[in-house]
Amino acid sequence: MTGPNKQPLAAEFDLMMARAGVPVPTGWRAGAIASYAELSALIGLLRSADRPVSSEPSAVYRMPKESGG
């Protein structure tokens, strides 16, 4: 993770982990922040304003019809 947004993202990650009470080992912090950055970027793809909530896979399911017998 590089660029001008590195520090604000790290601060946001630290705040979020502190609020959740999740301890992040020092050796894992850099990788966890990089993963957080990737997930944050994907959220925009998953939750776009032009798609209804009903199109999300977690909200779409079908129950098979029972066959008579």
Side-chain angles (χ1 to χ4, degrees):
M1 177 175 56
T2 59
N5 293 329
K6 182 178 179 182
Q7 290 303 325
L9 186 67
E12 179 181 330
F13 175 80
D14 290 339
L15 178 63
M16 185 177 65
M17 292 295 105
R19 283 183 179 171
V22 178
V24 179
T26 305
W28 294 7
R29 187 173 179 272
I33 291 171
S35 296
Y36 177 68
E38 292 295 323
L39 289 172
S40 295
L42 289 174
I43 289 172
L45 297 173
L46 295 172
R47 282 284 184 156
S48 60
D50 61 333
R51 284 184 7 184
V53 173
S54 61
S55 70
E56 293 184 9
S58 64
V60 178
Y61 59 92
R62 291 178 178 80
M63 300 294 290
K65 292 182 180 180
E66 284 190 43
S67 59

